[in-house]
């Protein structure tokens, strides 16, 4: 029996990506487009001019930002080495990589990796300038420190050139910046954990269902675009959908997780609110100017038609709200996928349904124990109490979680009376 413990992103690494670039070369062009794409794909990205207020360009701030990031993208352009600020960043990034496994992706933008390794062309010119300044330094101690720093920069450039990186002139992108940025996003998506949806820390019994859905999402089929996760309330349908969404959303051009559709769609302007969320999730912009469902459907069709999208429609109890929010599935672009969670098996064809079963007794005991005691099994004095809870909950994860959390705050002598109350509920 496998237990998965999902943890929230550590506060010590609030950024997914630290973006290092030479502003003179790429600030308003490639680096700006790359930054925008990273943010649109859900990566919390640090770039110095965006995250630091004017006048706060301090080395101490820089030294905080890099360790607070899970990865670094280093855009090495023609004039990268002419910035001592960039070279200092590079040294700190590579030190972080050596000591903590920090993910580093060199991006060679109109520069050959061999130029960086051998330090030729513009890089050679920059270092000639640094070395001349060093020779002109009359302070022997200062000169020694300058030489040491220059050597550190040279070593860092050699080291980063030897790492596996991405090259704008690679045959797969052939100089096309949009394709190049897509390739960078894909690399970061594979190598950097980024989970946009919160998942409870204790999960049991979902492995087989998650594996089946992942195989369908990744099979490359353009025909079968809809799957439904079905089962009774509290069985774990939404949790499975969240896990799958977190694991796969980076592989699509856009994604949206619409929660509680059945409930929201019954509220005033509910379908319109869901449409606005869908449009905002895919376009990464607010769309408050959409005032009715018909305009919303037109926006959605124009927005999602040219993109491969992953959509999760949670807690759908009938087909009509689904069409009101999304329109018809044939609008979707080739390779798009739609996951529905529902209590009703009649929602789709049998081959499109994945049924979630109740937890067995051993799984129930473990899941309850994790929520009540933060351990895989109950303390010996609580064994009989635990068995009674498992019998009451009948394998429903939500019930086991709620009761476990509630009883975890009770004294042992209070458990018996609480269980009597629970057992009296029809």
């Amino acid at each position: 029996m496998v237990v998965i413990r999902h943890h929230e992103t550590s506060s010590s690494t609030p950024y997914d990506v630290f973006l290092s670039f030479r502003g003179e070369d790429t600030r308003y062009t490639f680096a700006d487009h790359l930054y925008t794409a990273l943010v649109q794909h859900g990566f919390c990205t640090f770039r110095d001019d965006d995250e630091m207020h004017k006048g706060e360009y301090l080395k101490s701030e820089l030294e905080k930002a890099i360790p607070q990031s899970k990865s670094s993208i280093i855009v090495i352009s023609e004039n990268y080495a002419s910035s001592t600020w960039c070279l200092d960043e590079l040294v700190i990034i590579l030190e972080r990589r050596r000591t903590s496994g920090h993910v580093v992706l060199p991006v060679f933008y109109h520069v050959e990796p061999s130029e960086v390794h051998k330090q030729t062309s513009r890089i050679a010119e920059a270092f000639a300038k640094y070395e001349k300044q060093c020779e002109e330094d009359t302070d022997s101690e200062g000169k020694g420190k300058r030489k040491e720093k220059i050597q550190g920069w040279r070593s860092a450039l050699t080291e980063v050139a030897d790492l596996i990186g991405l090259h704008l002139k690679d045959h797969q992108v052939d100089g096309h910046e949009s394709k190049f940025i897509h390739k960078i996003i894909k690399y970061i998506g594979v190598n950097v954990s980024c989970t946009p949806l919160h998942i409870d820390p204790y999960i049991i019994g979902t492995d087989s269902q998650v594996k089946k859905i992942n195989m369908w999402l990744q099979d490359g089929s353009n025909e079968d675009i809809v799957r439904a996760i079905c089962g009774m309330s509290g069985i774990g349908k939404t949790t499975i959908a969240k896990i799958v969404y977190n694991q796969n959303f980076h592989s699509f051009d856009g994604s949206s997780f619409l929660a509680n559709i059945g409930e929201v769609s019954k509220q005033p302007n509910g379908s319109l609110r869901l449409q606005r969320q869908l449009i905002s999730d895919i376009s990464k912009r607010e769309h408050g100017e959409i005032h009715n469902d018909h305009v919303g459907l037109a926006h959605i069709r124009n927005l999602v038609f040219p993109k491969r999208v992953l959509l999760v429609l949670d807690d759908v109890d009938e087909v009509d709200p689904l069409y009101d929010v999304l329109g018809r599935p044939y609008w979707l672009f080739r390779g798009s996928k739609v996951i529905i969670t529902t209590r009703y098996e009649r929602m789709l064809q049998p081959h499109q349904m994945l049924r979630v079963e109740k937890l067995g007794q051993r799984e129930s005991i473990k899941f309850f124990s994790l929520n009540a005691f933060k351990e895989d099994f109950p303390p010996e004095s609580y064994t009989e109490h635990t068995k009674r809870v498992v019998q009451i909950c009948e394998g429903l994860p939500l019930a086991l979680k709620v009761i476990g959390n509630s009883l975890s705050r009770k004294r042992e002598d209070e458990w018996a009376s609480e269980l009597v109350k629970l057992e009296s509920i029809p």
Side-chain angles (χ1 to χ4, degrees):
M1 191 181 335
V2 178
V3 179
I4 305 173
R5 289 182 172 88
H6 291 267
H7 298 283
E8 293 293 286
T9 301
S10 169
S11 60
S12 63
T13 54
Y15 299 104
D16 297 308
V17 180
F18 180 92
L19 183 58
S20 175
F21 60 94
R22 180 71 169 107
E24 176 184 310
D25 291 343
T26 62
R27 184 181 302 280
Y28 300 113
T29 53
F30 178 76
D32 186 55
H33 299 154
L34 175 57
Y35 173 79
T36 300
L38 286 164
V39 172
Q40 288 181 345
H41 281 77
F43 293 106
C44 183
T45 304
F46 182 104
R47 59 174 178 179
D48 49 16
D49 62 329
D50 188 57
E51 300 296 340
M52 293 183 187
H53 298 294
K54 189 175 181 180
E56 292 183 355
Y57 283 94
L58 304 175
K59 185 177 179 182
S60 60
E61 293 299 316
L62 175 65
E63 290 174 341
K64 290 177 185 176
I66 294 171
Q68 288 177 344
S69 303
K70 298 176 185 176
S71 67
S72 290
I73 297 174
I74 306 167
V75 181
I76 304 176
S77 54
E78 288 183 331
N79 295 299
Y80 185 84
S82 67
S83 166
T84 59
W85 182 265
C86 287
L87 293 172
D88 283 341
E89 279 185 354
L90 179 62
V91 170
I92 296 170
I93 288 168
L94 294 176
E95 175 62 25
R96 177 72 173 163
R97 176 182 179 270
R98 287 190 292 270
T99 58
S100 69
H102 184 75
V103 176
V104 175
L105 176 63
V107 171
F108 299 97
Y109 183 76
H110 293 298
V111 169
E112 295 294 333
S114 60
E115 293 177 45
V116 181
H117 182 87
K118 297 177 182 178
Q119 290 148 42
T120 58
S121 304
R122 294 283 183 87
I123 299 175
E125 294 173 12
F127 275 92
K129 178 182 175 182
Y130 299 143
E131 286 165 351
K132 181 180 179 182
Q133 291 172 343
C134 180
E135 291 303 318
E136 292 174 350
D137 194 336
T138 57
D139 180 1
S140 58
E141 184 178 350
K143 181 180 290 189
K145 289 181 178 179
R146 276 179 181 264
K147 285 185 177 180
E148 186 178 341
K149 173 161 275 198
I150 291 169
Q151 185 55 48
W153 290 339
R154 285 192 178 278
S155 298
L157 286 168
T158 300
E159 182 178 347
V160 78
D162 289 338
L163 298 179
I164 296 174
L166 298 178
H167 192 348
L168 180 62
K169 294 184 180 179
D170 183 278
H171 70 280
Q172 293 181 343
V173 296
D174 194 27
H176 293 277
E177 292 192 6
S178 60
K179 291 182 180 179
F180 193 40
I181 288 173
H182 180 75
K183 193 170 183 180
I184 295 169
I185 297 295
K186 187 174 181 180
Y187 179 93
I188 294 297
V190 170
N191 290 279
V192 177
S193 173
C194 177
T195 54
L197 299 177
H198 169 74
I199 298 175
D200 290 336
Y202 305 117
I203 297 176
I204 289 179
T206 63
D207 285 359
S208 62
Q209 293 98 329
V210 168
K211 184 177 180 180
K212 288 176 184 177
I213 300 175
N214 280 341
M215 289 176 63
W216 166 69
L217 286 172
Q218 298 162 13
D219 66 5
S221 170
N222 296 317
E223 303 299 326
D224 195 9
I225 64 172
V226 183
R227 278 285 188 274
I229 305 170
C230 67
M232 64 177 64
S233 297
I235 200 73
K237 304 182 296 296
T238 299
T239 296
I240 292 170
K242 283 182 175 182
I243 294 171
V244 170
Y245 183 87
N246 282 350
Q247 291 178 355
N248 291 276
F249 79 102
H250 281 310
S251 300
F252 293 80
D253 300 325
S255 61
S256 180
F257 190 106
L258 299 179
N260 302 316
I261 283 184
E263 177 185 344
V264 175
S265 63
K266 293 180 175 67
Q267 299 171 0
N269 295 319
S271 295
L272 183 59
R273 285 166 50 200
L274 291 166
Q275 287 180 344
R276 285 174 176 169
Q277 182 189 334
L278 173 59
I279 293 168
S280 177
D281 289 345
I282 300 296
S283 68
K284 303 302 178 184
R285 296 194 303 272
E286 295 296 328
H287 282 270
E289 71 275 10
I290 297 172
H291 301 297
N292 62 66
D293 297 359
H294 303 293
V295 175
L297 285 173
H299 272 266
I300 290 170
R301 182 173 185 174
N302 293 333
L303 181 65
V304 304
F305 181 73
K307 295 182 178 181
R308 286 181 64 253
V309 297
L310 172 62
L311 306 179
V312 177
L313 311 175
D314 176 51
D315 194 23
V316 177
D317 53 16
E318 52 185 311
V319 174
D320 287 346
L322 186 62
Y323 289 147
D324 290 342
V325 173
L326 181 61
R328 302 290 170 172
Y330 63 75
W331 288 359
L332 297 175
F333 191 67
R334 290 165 57 91
S336 294
K337 301 288 185 179
V338 179
I339 298 172
I340 297 170
T341 72
T342 181
R343 290 170 290 166
Y344 303 99
E345 294 189 23
R346 58 178 169 75
M347 190 67 64
L348 296 174
Q349 297 298 317
H351 75 279
Q352 297 175 302
M353 308 294 291
L354 177 68
R355 182 170 180 80
V356 182
E357 304 294 342
K358 294 180 180 180
L359 297 178
Q361 183 177 24
R362 291 181 61 190
E363 291 177 318
S364 295
I365 290 172
K366 181 165 284 191
F367 188 58
F368 173 77
S369 299
L370 286 166
N371 283 280
F373 312 113
K374 312 308 177 196
E375 300 289 345
D376 289 348
F377 300 98
E380 187 174 350
S381 61
Y382 286 86
T383 300
E384 292 304 316
H385 291 324
T386 298
K387 289 180 179 178
R388 288 172 66 185
V389 171
V390 168
Q391 188 172 4
I392 292 168
C393 294
E394 298 182 337
L396 285 179
L398 181 59
L400 290 162
K401 173 190 170 183
V402 171
I403 295 175
N405 288 335
S406 174
L407 292 176
S408 69
R409 297 187 289 271
K410 304 288 185 181
R411 299 190 309 272
E412 184 174 356
D413 60 350
E414 295 178 294
W415 275 53
S417 61
E418 291 295 322
L419 291 177
V420 169
K421 293 177 186 177
L422 291 169
E423 288 168 334
S424 66
I425 298 174

